[in-house]
Amino acid sequence: MSSLVGNYGRYDVAFVKGNGCFLYDEAGREYLDFGCGISVVSLGHCNPTVTEAIKRQAETLIHTSNLYRNPEQERLGERLSRLSFGGKVFFCNSGAEANEAALKMARIYGNKKYDGLRYKIVTMKNSFHGRTYATLSATGQEKIHKGFEPIADWFIHVPFNDFDAVDKACSKGDVVAVILEPVQGEGGVCSVEKGYLERLRAYCDKKDILLIFDEIQTSMGRMGHIFGYEHFGVKPDILTTAKALGNGVPIGAVIAKPECADYFVPGTHGTTFGGNFLACAAGNAVLDVLTAEGFLASVREKGVYFKERLKAVFGSKAVEVRGTGLMIGVQFHEKSADFVRECMAEGLLVIPAGMETVRIYPPVNIDRENLDKGLAIIEKVLAGGKF
């Protein structure tokens, strides 16, 4: 009997080694990893640049606490600020913590600037923002709330891509922020519709409502840009990132415009481990790779190729193949979970998501040959006639 808490429905396989886009189990069997640990190891397993940075930092200094200056953290913060919209950066350990901090930042903004009269936050149905108490309450999926009711009652869940619903939710003047994922990953790789973000941005500017983008899954090259919002051309007031920022080393970050970030002063928020030397060394190494000349353009080029090949491979078997860059979702009519298992049996790892969708997230530095290997496995699974 395992001594572990049974809160995960784990597959019966244990991996002991990784290299690039491949994982190896205890028996030495090779798997092509098109899930990247749910969009975390986006530069592949044991990426040489990241591994070297971690080794070097581990031999130098790992942790001192946030009581002291940290040049590695300052460097990563400066780079994230410069690569985004010039905001200030707070580091933590995960996406949930980043979203928790963003929500607190919005609440303190409303409390300080509007004497507590603005405290509600509009969030989207089918969204996923984490599993802390505030972030699960922000999440727009009842299955995530189940067992933990009553959830925090200051979130208003509205249909995704429904501007009128946002306008109605904000009509009483008590809303301080709107939070959304530009692409809902957990929800089934569902993107904002054309024009929605532009309209939302203009509305929030007019009403002095903060616009928060949860980019835990969509940033760090997954969509062919450092941040997913670059694909849509609309900047937020607050942005959260995590997952691929450390390529497997736990790290999350909040980037916020000074008019929001400046409400965080000593004593308002903090973290013990967040942004320590080791995590920030990994983050800087990730940015070294992502910002190399031509790298992100190659992700966009591979994304177009892969999506078109997937459409051809699935044909009428899938409801839809959708996504941007190498953040691809394939929605089935049914049995998407079975498809994930069949792929695994053939040596390909993909990830389940909502709406009978399978997420297919290859490493963003994968080569064309291994993309084709993955496609060949999918073709083989489909040829079995079960889907």
Side-chain angles (χ1 to χ4, degrees):
M1 180 182 292
S2 172
S3 59
L4 301 178
V5 172
N7 59 318
Y8 297 111
R10 300 179 195 269
Y11 298 105
D12 189 21
V13 60
F15 298 110
V16 296
K17 180 183 174 183
N19 182 21
C21 57
F22 293 102
L23 280 170
Y24 300 87
D25 69 13
E26 294 168 306
R29 187 185 178 198
E30 183 180 88
Y31 293 79
L32 192 53
D33 187 3
F34 278 17
C36 289
I38 315 182
S39 199
V40 168
V41 195
S42 287
L43 295 178
H45 296 280
C46 302
N47 179 277
T49 302
V50 180
T51 298
E52 180 56 36
I54 294 170
K55 287 169 62 179
R56 186 170 56 247
Q57 191 61 54
E59 292 172 347
T60 307
L61 184 62
I62 293 178
H63 179 85
T64 59
S65 93
N66 284 305
L67 291 173
Y68 312 103
R69 283 190 54 213
N70 177 339
E72 196 71 30
Q73 185 185 106
E74 291 170 4
R75 178 169 176 254
L76 182 57
E78 186 280 326
R79 297 174 83 183
L80 289 173
S81 177
R82 177 165 42 82
L83 290 166
S84 59
F85 46 88
K88 294 186 176 181
V89 182
F90 167 81
F91 286 105
C92 50
N93 306 287
S94 69
E97 286 183 52
N99 283 334
E100 184 85 14
L103 296 171
K104 287 182 70 176
M105 196 174 284
R107 287 294 301 265
I108 199 169
Y109 178 90
N111 284 337
K112 295 284 187 180
K113 187 171 182 178
Y114 291 99
D115 296 325
L117 296 175
R118 292 190 179 191
Y119 62 98
K120 293 185 177 178
I121 295 177
V122 173
T123 177
M124 305 296 150
K125 293 183 178 179
N126 199 44
S127 61
F128 182 84
H129 298 295
R131 294 183 185 273
T132 66
Y133 201 78
T135 59
L136 79 82
S137 299
T139 293
Q141 299 184 50
E142 290 185 6
K143 67 180 182 182
I144 305 297
H145 304 160
K146 193 173 182 180
F148 301 103
E149 303 90 344
I151 61 171
D153 61 2
W154 38 276
F155 290 101
I156 305 171
H157 299 90
V158 302
F160 194 38
N161 283 314
D162 187 339
F163 176 79
D164 291 339
V166 173
D167 183 37
K168 184 178 179 181
C170 297
S171 61
K172 295 181 180 177
D174 54 4
V175 168
V176 68
V178 175
I179 183 170
L180 76 159
E181 304 149 282
V183 179
Q184 295 179 334
E186 165 75 20
V189 193
C190 303
S191 176
V192 291
E193 294 175 356
K194 184 176 174 58
Y196 179 68
L197 286 184
E198 291 92 332
R199 201 172 176 193
L200 205 54
R201 176 72 275 176
Y203 181 82
C204 288
D205 285 342
K206 182 179 178 182
K207 302 282 187 178
D208 191 24
I209 293 171
L210 300 176
L211 185 58
I212 305 172
F213 288 171
D214 175 344
E215 292 234 24
I216 306 304
Q217 210 164 123
T218 53
S219 58
M220 298 304 122
R222 177 53 58 190
M223 292 178 64
H225 298 277
I226 297 292
F227 301 103
Y229 78 78
E230 297 175 73
H231 179 74
F232 304 98
V234 175
K235 296 179 181 178
D237 299 302
I238 302 174
L239 179 146
T240 57
T241 180
K243 287 194 180 291
L245 178 56
N247 205 56
V249 177
I251 183 171
V254 180
I255 308 170
K257 291 181 176 178
E259 50 265 45
C260 316
D262 287 348
Y263 285 108
F264 269 17
V265 297
T268 50
H269 191 61
T271 163
T272 297
F273 296 104
N276 74 16
F277 284 83
L278 190 72
C280 288
N284 276 311
V286 166
L287 289 186
D288 289 344
V289 176
L290 294 180
T291 57
E293 186 175 357
F295 184 89
L296 292 171
S298 77
V299 177
R300 295 192 288 272
E301 182 272 328
K302 284 180 288 192
V304 171
Y305 167 79
F306 189 56
K307 185 177 173 181
E308 290 306 310
R309 286 292 314 278
L310 277 173
K311 285 182 177 178
V313 166
F314 277 98
S316 61
K317 295 179 185 296
V319 173
E320 186 179 4
V321 177
R322 55 179 175 254
T324 303
L326 286 171
M327 185 176 185
I328 304 295
V330 179
Q331 186 176 355
F332 286 73
H333 296 281
E334 59 180 354
K335 300 192 293 187
S336 60
D338 293 340
F339 179 80
V340 172
R341 290 187 177 279
E342 290 287 329
C343 286
M344 184 182 296
E346 295 296 333
L348 175 68
L349 304 178
V350 291
I351 323 167
M355 298 172 62
E356 290 287 350
T357 300
V358 174
R359 283 174 282 184
I360 305 179
Y361 293 179
V364 296
N365 57 349
I366 194 171
D367 59 25
R368 185 72 66 89
E369 179 182 355
N370 284 316
L371 275 178
D372 288 341
K373 279 185 181 178
L375 287 162
I377 293 173
I378 291 171
E379 280 188 297
K380 183 179 179 181
V381 170
L382 293 175
K386 297 181 181 178
F387 305 99

